[in-house]
Amino acid sequence: MHALVTGATGFIGQALVAALLGREDRVRAVVRDTGRAARLPAEAGTIVADLGGPDVPPRLMEDIDVVFHLAAATRGPWPEHQRVTVQGTARLLAMARAAAVRRFVHVSSIVVHRVNGDGRVDEATPLLDPVADAGPYVRGKVEAERHAWQAARDGLEVTVVRPGLVHGPGKVVFEHLGTPLGPVLVGYGSSRQRLPLVSLASVVDALLALADAPQAAGQAYSVVDGHLPRARHLAVVNEAAAVRRRAIYLPIPLVALACRGARLAGADAPSVAKLRDRARDVHYDSAKLTAHTRWRPESDVEASLRRATRASDDGRLRVAVIGAGMNSVHHLQPLRRRRDVRLVGVVDVDIDRARAAANGCGLRDGAFRSIDALYSQCPPDVVHVVTPPPTHEPIVMELLQRGSHVLCEKPLALEPEACQRLAAAARARRLTLGVVHNLLFDERFMRMRQLIAAGRIGRVLHVETSWCFAPARAGRARQRERWLRELPGGLLEDIAPHPIYLTTALMDGTPRLTRARTHHTGLLPEPGDDLLHMSLETPRVNAHLTVALAIAPDEATISVFGSAATLTLDVQNMLLTMQRAGRGPRVVRRG
């Protein structure tokens, strides 16, 4: 499947892009903010476009099978919601219909409904009057839905998805629960109201299921998890967020008066109708979704909320580092400076080395000889694996089985099949598994991607990467790290991932390997290949990559050739330059 995802850097969008790539689908991600584009994986073909603006790239829908439309304004006055949510949706629907996409999955919200007299909300429940009953956000959602249904009547295959209150990593407190004010949670309405909670993982699973379900064409679906808690059960959320607050509920008439004043001032505030709904016990379910697909809701909301945060006692993530070698300092020191992280341990088979690393970052009694010892005293939420590559697979698998998120130094494993096993284990447990491709997030490389996404060099045609090491430096690296001899590809296998992931990040979509060749030059004293040539291509871009370990002097450059200009990044010195074709006589252009 080739999917287009709008709102790709949002809370749901990022998770959906990751899930699609995990299934090996092709993804084109649409974002409004060039600064946030670098948050997405390198494999996502990112396009910067404001769907509510006049300049939407005409190739947006090229070769797209399914559109997942999540983009919407979340704050601001009504004109902003009208431009981004309503006009953006209308324009995208028209483009999808013209391109004859197979399905358009429109993500709305469960808040668009007017509550029935029996207090039940399902797919047949009428929508709110967007002018009389809704604030700017809800009004935008309602009017965008109306455009979607009109497009369905005009022949586009549309599926509308209405998630409840989505919770996930870093998001467990909602407007329905009240506003946190120190030790007090100030809410309004009834403490008996059911909360239509749904986990981020459940929403992503529902979107993927509905993209392919034959019965979903022309249908709307509510997406909420099972056994929904009532608002008075604040202990669920408070415990998950590691916060203890007392709840105070304000009377509806008082809140209605304040909301009227806010709405007159142009702010987004609940309508009187929504306030009345807040005082009632409303029933939600996803029966239709379970009947039409294999999707099943989370049955234990409390466990889901706790998984979402995995917070420590003081609200910070507990993080441990396994491996106290030379590279561990690049993990320990940045983690030590983060206010939202609490380092809980350093693990190494050499306990003296573990103690030295722990003491170096101010962590007392935080050295452990084994993973068992770490988990018996202070189980971490996230673990950084900084051990030699041959040990990565068993360590990462054990950590995933223990329920921790993992960030592993590259390579993730020595064989592709092992990487696939680890990825499958992470998906099955709904855990995050990351690999340290650190150069992707260097500010110069991120700037390079931003310039490409903004169209500053025109259409990208070719990427040329050269990654060369002097023989003496390569020899020193081999002597310093004995584990390099255990890699099937030796030092070449250790170094090549950097230029490969940087090159593929600059291409449109997931590239196909068309040619690869390694060679032993004989210029190094060690046996094994020391020269790599690779050719990659996507439907629109091709690339050539060279990694050489016997060339002087050192060189690491990436050049992106476009139809209007060329970008070159000197990775060794982190210098980014752009060359444009000049105007005038040839001699002047050369100058």
Side-chain angles (χ1 to χ4, degrees):
M1 177 169 68
H2 192 180
L4 177 78
V5 180
T6 69
T9 57
F11 184 57
I12 301 175
Q14 290 189 66
L16 177 61
V17 168
L20 287 165
L21 292 174
R23 300 194 324 172
E24 298 186 352
D25 291 321
R26 295 169 60 198
V27 178
R28 184 172 299 155
V30 182
V31 301
R32 273 190 293 164
D33 185 351
T34 57
R36 301 179 67 181
R39 296 183 183 183
L40 297 172
E43 299 87 352
T46 304
I47 292 181
V48 178
D50 183 356
L51 298 176
D55 300 321
V56 178
R59 67 183 183 91
L60 199 65
M61 293 288 175
E62 190 175 278
D63 301 324
I64 293 296
D65 303 314
V66 178
V67 175
F68 294 95
H69 180 42
L70 293 89
T74 56
R75 59 180 62 87
W78 166 242
E80 178 67 6
H81 292 263
Q82 184 181 39
R83 184 184 70 82
V84 175
T85 305
V86 182
Q87 294 178 3
T89 299
R91 179 175 285 115
L92 196 69
L93 286 163
M95 294 178 70
R97 187 180 172 211
V101 301
R102 177 171 62 80
R103 179 162 296 177
F104 191 103
V105 181
H106 175 73
V107 180
S108 183
S109 171
I110 207 164
V111 300
V112 300
H113 291 292
R114 180 189 297 279
V115 178
N116 287 328
D118 60 359
R120 183 180 181 83
V121 168
D122 59 23
E123 290 79 4
T125 303
L127 303 186
L128 290 164
D129 184 316
V131 177
D133 296 334
Y137 173 78
V138 179
R139 180 180 176 185
K141 285 290 187 181
V142 173
E143 295 198 359
E145 258 207 49
R146 291 181 172 179
H147 281 288
W149 292 124
Q150 181 59 52
R153 289 189 289 271
D154 292 339
L156 180 64
E157 192 173 287
V158 173
T159 298
V160 173
V161 183
R162 299 170 182 149
L165 304 175
V166 185
H167 64 79
K171 184 179 180 183
V172 293
V173 179
F174 305 93
E175 168 197 14
H176 284 60
L177 298 172
T179 302
L181 296 175
V184 177
L185 196 67
V186 180
Y188 59 89
S190 170
S191 63
R192 289 183 52 79
Q193 186 193 35
R194 299 177 202 267
L195 301 175
L197 299 182
V198 59
S199 71
L200 178 62
S202 287
V203 174
V204 171
D205 289 347
L207 292 173
L208 295 177
L210 290 170
D212 299 319
Q215 290 178 280
Q219 300 292 321
Y221 296 90
S222 300
V223 187
V224 294
D225 281 330
H227 302 291
L228 300 180
R230 299 184 186 273
R232 67 187 179 197
H233 297 155
L234 291 171
V236 174
V237 176
N238 285 343
E239 184 176 349
V243 176
R244 301 292 184 268
R245 292 189 177 98
R246 180 185 177 187
I248 297 176
Y249 283 86
L250 301 177
I252 290 293
L254 179 62
V255 179
L257 182 63
C259 287
R260 284 194 188 98
R263 285 163 65 87
L264 288 173
D268 188 357
S271 65
V272 175
K274 292 301 289 183
L275 292 175
R276 292 197 192 102
D277 291 345
R278 192 70 63 81
R280 303 169 61 186
D281 183 20
V282 183
H283 176 75
Y284 307 87
D285 67 50
S286 299
K288 182 177 176 181
L289 178 58
T290 56
H292 287 187
T293 69
R294 295 182 179 180
W295 179 89
R296 293 297 178 265
E298 287 266 10
S299 58
D300 190 340
V301 176
E302 295 187 26
S304 179
L305 283 166
R306 293 191 185 99
R307 277 202 311 271
T309 55
R310 302 298 300 272
S312 58
D313 295 339
D314 56 2
R316 296 182 292 170
L317 283 176
R318 297 186 297 264
V319 181
V321 174
I322 297 181
M326 179 185 66
N327 206 25
S328 65
V329 66
H330 301 301
H331 293 253
L332 290 167
Q333 293 303 329
L335 287 170
R336 180 188 181 187
R337 292 193 292 268
R338 289 188 65 98
R339 295 183 179 181
D340 56 347
V341 162
R342 181 161 68 92
L343 274 171
V344 296
V346 179
V347 180
D348 199 287
V349 291
D350 185 339
I351 190 63
D352 292 330
R353 190 163 62 174
R355 288 195 185 102
N359 292 337
C361 57
L363 183 61
R364 294 183 179 181
D365 302 322
F368 301 92
R369 195 188 300 271
S370 68
I371 295 175
D372 286 336
L374 169 69
Y375 276 83
S376 66
Q377 295 192 34
C378 43
D381 306 310
V382 181
V383 182
H384 290 215
V385 178
V386 198
T387 59
T391 67
H392 285 177
E393 182 187 0
I395 290 176
V396 171
M397 184 62 78
E398 179 177 353
L399 296 172
L400 292 173
Q401 291 170 346
R402 289 177 180 267
S404 294
H405 305 285
V406 180
L407 179 66
C408 182
E409 275 286 349
K410 56 85 185 163
L412 179 60
L414 301 186
E415 302 293 339
E417 295 77 14
C419 296
Q420 293 166 3
R421 287 194 295 270
L422 294 174
R427 285 195 298 269
R429 293 165 176 80
R430 295 184 175 179
L431 295 169
T432 297
L433 172 60
V435 185
V436 180
H437 289 174
N438 53 299
L439 292 176
L440 285 174
F441 304 98
D442 181 272
E443 61 180 312
R444 270 76 45 160
F445 186 76
M446 291 172 67
R447 177 59 178 160
M448 190 180 200
R449 295 185 68 183
Q450 291 167 6
L451 290 169
I452 293 170
R456 294 286 299 277
I457 68 169
R459 176 181 167 183
V460 175
L461 301 172
H462 179 70
V463 181
E464 188 76 26
T465 302
S466 176
W467 212 269
C468 305
F469 277 68
R473 183 177 174 189
R476 288 197 301 271
R478 280 189 177 274
Q479 295 171 4
R480 187 181 67 244
E481 300 289 0
R482 289 179 299 174
W483 52 262
L484 282 169
R485 302 189 187 100
E486 301 178 39
L487 291 177
L491 184 60
L492 193 61
E493 183 174 344
D494 178 54
I495 292 173
H498 287 300
I500 291 173
Y501 69 66
L502 291 175
T503 301
T504 57
L506 298 170
M507 303 177 73
D508 180 17
T510 304
R512 182 174 65 91
L513 179 65
T514 58
R515 180 174 176 270
R517 184 173 67 89
T518 59
H519 180 64
H520 176 61
T521 64
L523 297 174
L524 296 179
E526 295 84 0
D529 294 335
D530 51 68
L531 183 64
L532 167 68
H533 292 289
M534 291 179 65
S535 295
L536 304 163
E537 68 174 22
T538 66
R540 300 173 61 86
V541 182
N542 59 60
H544 182 260
L545 182 149
T546 300
V547 181
L549 307 182
I551 290 181
D554 292 359
E555 176 187 309
T557 60
I558 303 175
S559 295
V560 183
F561 298 89
S563 58
T566 298
L567 282 173
T568 299
L569 178 64
D570 178 348
V571 181
Q572 202 166 19
N573 300 300
M574 279 302 169
L575 297 175
L576 177 62
T577 59
M578 178 188 289
Q579 289 181 301
R580 286 183 175 274
R583 295 181 179 180
R586 184 174 181 180
V587 65
V588 175
R589 293 202 309 271
R590 277 188 179 177

